[in-house]
Amino acid sequence: MKWMYGKQDWKTRERGLENCYLMTNGLGGFSSMTMTGAVSRNDHALLMACTTAPNCRYNMIHRLKEELLTETGDVLTLSTQEFEEQTPEDGYLHLAAFSYEDTPIWRFLVNGVEIKKEIGMPQEENTVALRYEIKNRSSRNVEFVLTPFFQFVPKGADLLPDQEIVFTKGAVESEGMTLHLRTNGMIKEIAETEEVYFYRYDVCDGRRAYGHARANHQIRLQAEAGKQVVLEVVYEMEPSKNSAQTIIEQTKADRKQLEETAGFTSEAGKMLSKSARQFVSKRESTGGDTILAGYPFFEDWGRDTMIALPGICISTGQFETAKRILRTFAQNERDGLMPNLFPEGGNEPLYNTVDAALLFINCVYLYYEATKDMEFVREVYPVMERIMDGYQSGTKFGIHMDTDGLICAGEGLAQVTWMDVRVGEILPTPRHGKPVEINAYWYNALKIMETFTEEAETSRYYAQLAEKVRDSFTEKFWMSQKNCLKDLVSGTEADTQIRCNQIWALSMPFTMLEPEKERKIVETVFEKLYTFYGMRTLEEADPEFHPYYEGAMEKRDMAYHQGTVWTFPLGAYYLAYLKVHAYSERAKQDVKEQLEVLECALKEGCIGQLPEIYDGKNPVSSKGCFAQAWSVGELLRVYEQIEKKKK
């Protein structure tokens, strides 16, 4: 799927800042700027390097200034950028087209000169490659001038006032880090120049409005009248000899291979299978792989990994990657819990999640279903047993099995489901008690253990406990007057709020409800919570519904799970819809038509990606992370179901 944009997509400078591209390097580093080449967030960068995978990220090259000089002394700016006080750059007026399929490509046209710009980023290297094709069809000689602006600061930080950024022959140095430069252009040192940027897409979320970067050299290349020239530039932290063209070609080849391995037939499925790989990264502290939750903000979290992994890795045929990630988490299981966060350095992981461990068992099952790798199941089976034992006897954060067989979780200020936001001493979405999706995961885990165990007595035990859980669940969660499930069993008003969490009680491999109840839930969820871009976290009629996600962090957090539309539960909804309609061809066609609308989301925000969230009232613009792993993963599972599976 090739995304094309033209001048009508940047009628104004502001319009040109709406969408961005994303390239990643498999270490946690990335390249991301807007389709007009600007940085509209402090996290945007031509090169965001990662020195210790996946979270020690440094904004190395923040942005590029691009100019065309004529022999008569005219200076034509091609780059676009907003600043604190100085006049904005409006190079978008010369930008004819932007496209993205496997690499971002810009095409400029100015006074008879055509310029094609392309970027590549290799895997497992902190490297970015630039290639400019300059066709001078004018009657005058011109000179192309590229001025990179550097930060050399941790992601999210700003340039230090006394920070030195030193240019030496073939390298830029600052803060103990070195960035090597290779180019066929002429390098010219310049007096240090500092810019102060205005970050339009940070301001709207209450983040800092301004940031700084400095330049100390330029790269120049002349193009005589009637001639065509190529400028290649490579910036890298680890010296190599690959040309910019080679790096760009390898970038494309890697993505084409991902597409072929995944085997999707639809253009959207193919694009998402390539986008999925952007979340997979090495993790130096464990020596394995991990899944980053979202760009540009999030790190790798256990819950997000276990939700995203089935789609990111299994649906796309990346089975060895899936196994490496599962093995990493298995090695870090403690007290029946899976880590929710791997901190850097020598600190211990954090285990504040009730769902990650149960979803780990689900991931092992889905991996087995796809590969029939029983040897790996036997390898991690003791870990799964410890999880089941821990949840029954009780473990941290109030996680334990009640006498009715259902799982309780949460205590004090510890929020341990995915609706985990906390604002000071306030829990905007308190879910202490028996959350609906956790008990759906619990039943699913019991049935999986019944399937995997090789001891008849143990199998009977899991089967009997699963039956008890099913009976208790049906009795305590079903609301006949609302034709749906409670969100929680806690004895509070929160119990009967209509939320999207109930959809996972239908979409897991093993479920508890009779078909008629499942059909009613699907229809209720569709009526109360469904949008084409995601599921509302709370129905609009609820007094606690927040229609907009905006403003300072405290205001955003109060809305985060109180009506905000999340994309990833849409995957479970579609899987449930297909299930209650017996995976019929008509049902698949219905889902395909609805997914066509969702494809519009791939063109907005981060091109080729799916975001974290939208406003609850009118979901028109992506918010939060512009690329979210579990959004992509869960929707890939839907594409897999309608394209590759036969029922």
Side-chain angles (χ1 to χ4, degrees):
M1 180 175 281
K2 184 176 182 179
W3 301 106
M4 289 294 304
Y5 299 82
K7 282 185 170 293
Q8 56 270 69
D9 294 299
W10 45 82
K11 293 178 181 178
T12 64
R13 186 189 324 109
E14 292 77 18
R15 284 285 311 276
L17 304 179
E18 292 177 357
N19 305 322
C20 67
Y21 73 88
L22 174 67
M23 306 178 78
T24 65
N25 66 4
L27 297 174
F30 60 89
S31 176
S32 182
M33 297 185 292
T34 71
M35 62 184 178
T36 53
V39 292
S40 60
R41 306 168 183 261
N42 75 79
D43 290 316
H44 274 152
L46 174 69
L47 176 59
M48 184 75 73
C50 192
T51 57
T52 303
N55 296 328
C56 291
R57 300 164 173 170
Y58 289 85
N59 197 325
M60 305 295 283
I61 308 173
H62 194 32
R63 80 113 184 174
L64 301 173
K65 183 174 184 177
E66 296 154 322
E67 299 168 299
L68 198 66
L69 311 185
T70 71
E71 59 186 10
T72 57
D74 294 329
V75 180
L76 305 171
T77 301
L78 304 180
S79 48
T80 299
Q81 186 57 49
E82 292 186 314
F83 302 98
E84 179 186 23
E85 293 180 347
Q86 72 186 77
T87 303
E89 291 178 350
D90 284 337
Y92 73 91
L93 297 173
H94 302 302
L95 181 61
F98 173 82
S99 65
Y100 180 81
E101 183 175 16
D102 294 315
T103 57
I105 298 174
W106 293 260
R107 294 180 183 273
F108 298 89
L109 176 61
V110 51
N111 297 351
V113 181
E114 292 182 73
I115 300 175
K116 175 186 174 183
K117 167 188 172 183
E118 190 169 9
I119 297 177
M121 175 167 272
Q123 291 300 293
E124 300 186 27
E125 297 178 26
N126 288 303
T127 298
V128 67
L130 293 156
R131 189 174 189 273
Y132 294 87
E133 293 180 8
I134 304 169
K135 297 179 182 179
N136 185 1
R137 298 174 62 183
S138 76
S139 58
R140 300 180 298 175
N141 296 336
V142 298
E143 184 176 27
F144 179 75
V145 181
L146 176 66
T147 309
F149 281 80
F150 302 93
Q151 286 191 329
F152 281 75
V153 299
K155 187 178 84 69
D158 196 10
L159 199 69
L160 300 171
D162 58 350
Q163 183 176 338
E164 293 186 354
I165 302 177
V166 179
F167 179 75
T168 57
K169 186 176 181 180
V172 185
E173 298 178 354
S174 185
E175 299 298 299
M177 295 177 288
T178 301
L179 197 57
H180 303 276
L181 165 62
R182 288 186 290 109
T183 180
N184 65 321
M186 182 188 73
I187 302 173
K188 179 183 178 180
E189 290 191 57
I190 61 173
E192 187 173 79
T193 303
E194 182 170 293
E195 293 181 331
V196 185
Y197 308 110
F198 173 62
Y199 299 130
R200 181 175 296 272
Y201 278 81
D202 284 339
V203 171
C204 63
D205 281 343
R207 299 181 175 91
R208 64 184 174 91
Y210 305 107
H212 303 71
R214 298 194 190 115
N216 53 27
H217 70 273
Q218 294 176 335
I219 301 169
R220 293 171 170 249
L221 188 69
Q222 291 187 344
E224 296 179 1
K227 300 292 185 179
Q228 177 176 337
V229 296
V230 173
L231 174 64
E232 289 203 352
V233 181
V234 176
Y235 283 99
E236 54 194 359
M237 295 190 74
E238 304 86 13
S240 73
K241 296 182 179 180
N242 289 332
S243 68
Q245 180 64 23
T246 298
I247 291 170
I248 289 170
E249 288 176 353
Q250 188 59 54
T251 301
K252 294 177 179 178
D254 289 345
R255 284 174 60 86
K256 294 297 183 186
Q257 183 59 55
L258 292 169
E259 180 182 313
E260 291 174 8
T261 300
F264 289 98
T265 57
S266 68
E267 291 301 309
K270 291 176 182 178
M271 175 57 77
L272 286 175
S273 69
K274 294 184 287 188
S275 298
R277 185 60 181 81
Q278 294 183 321
F279 299 101
V280 178
S281 171
K282 298 295 180 185
R283 168 160 273 287
E284 192 167 319
S285 65
T286 63
D289 291 345
T290 191
I291 293 177
L292 293 169
Y295 293 95
F297 306 131
F298 295 155
E299 301 178 357
D300 53 337
W301 295 332
R303 173 188 300 115
D304 294 61
T305 296
M306 294 306 144
I307 292 174
L309 184 147
I312 295 292
C313 298
I314 299 174
S315 296
T316 59
Q318 303 294 320
F319 302 126
E320 288 302 311
T321 301
K323 185 159 65 172
R324 287 194 298 271
I325 294 171
L326 291 171
R327 187 171 281 140
T328 294
F329 276 85
Q331 292 167 351
N332 286 275
E333 171 267 329
R334 299 289 185 275
D335 302 317
L337 297 176
M338 283 293 163
N340 199 34
L341 181 66
F342 289 104
E344 305 301 339
N347 298 323
E348 285 295 311
L350 302 179
Y351 289 85
N352 56 328
T353 166
V354 62
D355 33 20
L358 298 177
L359 290 172
F360 170 85
I361 293 174
N362 185 60
C363 286
V364 172
Y365 178 78
L366 294 176
Y367 167 80
Y368 170 76
E369 285 289 289
T371 65
K372 303 305 178 185
D373 184 357
M374 195 63 194
E375 181 180 347
F376 179 70
V377 173
R378 292 191 180 100
E379 175 188 332
V380 297
Y381 185 81
V383 176
M384 295 191 288
E385 276 193 314
R386 289 195 294 272
I387 292 169
M388 302 304 288
D389 291 344
Y391 276 61
Q392 290 176 80
S393 59
T395 183
K396 298 176 182 178
F397 307 108
I399 300 169
H400 67 278
M401 185 178 73
D402 202 354
T403 54
D404 57 7
L406 299 176
I407 295 296
C408 299
E411 59 185 7
L413 294 175
Q415 294 271 69
V416 291
T417 73
W418 77 277
M419 291 184 168
D420 59 356
V421 72
R422 170 184 165 188
V423 180
E425 301 295 302
I426 300 173
L427 303 182
T429 314
R431 301 189 75 223
H432 296 353
K434 300 172 182 177
V436 63
E437 80 278 15
I438 301 307
N439 282 284
Y441 302 160
W442 173 237
Y443 176 83
N444 183 63
L446 288 168
K447 298 299 289 184
I448 290 171
M449 294 300 286
E450 177 190 347
T451 300
F452 280 157
T453 185
E454 296 177 340
E455 297 179 2
E457 184 176 342
T458 304
S459 180
R460 282 194 298 273
Y461 171 77
Y462 283 126
Q464 291 169 359
L465 181 53
E467 186 175 349
K468 179 178 181 179
V469 170
R470 183 191 62 205
D471 292 343
S472 296
F473 185 91
T474 303
E475 175 191 348
K476 297 186 177 180
F477 279 93
W478 178 249
M479 296 189 293
S480 57
Q481 71 280 16
K482 293 187 176 183
N483 284 328
C484 65
L485 296 173
K486 292 180 180 178
D487 186 61
L488 189 68
V489 173
S490 68
T492 69
E493 293 182 359
D495 290 2
T496 57
Q497 289 182 309
I498 297 181
R499 295 186 178 275
C500 61
N501 300 306
Q502 61 189 294
I503 202 65
W504 287 289
L506 280 63
S507 65
M508 302 305 289
F510 299 95
T511 57
M512 295 173 273
L513 299 170
E514 60 188 48
E516 182 59 27
K517 285 187 171 67
E518 291 189 333
R519 283 191 291 271
K520 289 179 178 179
I521 291 170
V522 166
E523 292 308 307
T524 299
V525 166
F526 180 79
E527 177 186 355
K528 304 289 187 181
L529 305 171
Y530 175 88
T531 79
F532 282 109
Y533 289 170
M535 304 293 290
R536 291 188 176 93
T537 43
L538 183 65
E539 67 168 324
E540 290 186 85
D542 195 289
E544 296 184 13
F545 177 80
H546 286 239
Y548 304 109
Y549 179 87
E550 60 188 6
M553 181 176 290
E554 180 176 329
K555 184 179 179 182
R556 298 197 313 272
D557 282 349
M558 293 301 293
Y560 208 30
H561 302 115
Q562 296 293 84
T564 295
V565 167
W566 287 69
T567 299
F568 88 96
L570 201 57
Y573 167 79
Y574 284 134
L575 292 175
Y577 180 88
L578 290 167
K579 175 187 176 184
V580 302
H581 291 90
Y583 304 95
S584 67
E585 289 305 313
R586 174 61 184 272
K588 289 183 179 181
Q589 186 59 36
D590 288 344
V591 172
K592 285 180 182 179
E593 291 179 0
Q594 291 172 328
L595 287 174
E596 286 178 355
V597 180
L598 183 67
E599 288 176 17
C600 299
L602 293 172
K603 193 175 182 179
E604 184 272 335
C606 185
I607 302 161
Q609 281 283 359
L610 289 173
E612 180 186 8
I613 54 176
Y614 294 89
D615 283 336
K617 183 67 176 177
N618 185 25
V620 293
S621 298
S622 56
K623 297 192 173 183
C625 281
F626 53 57
Q628 189 83 350
W630 59 16
S631 298
V632 172
E634 284 294 89
L635 269 298
L636 274 170
R637 294 182 66 205
V638 179
Y639 281 101
E640 178 188 25
Q641 186 66 68
I642 61 179
E643 292 185 24
K644 300 198 292 186
K645 288 190 175 181
K646 302 295 182 183
K647 287 287 180 178

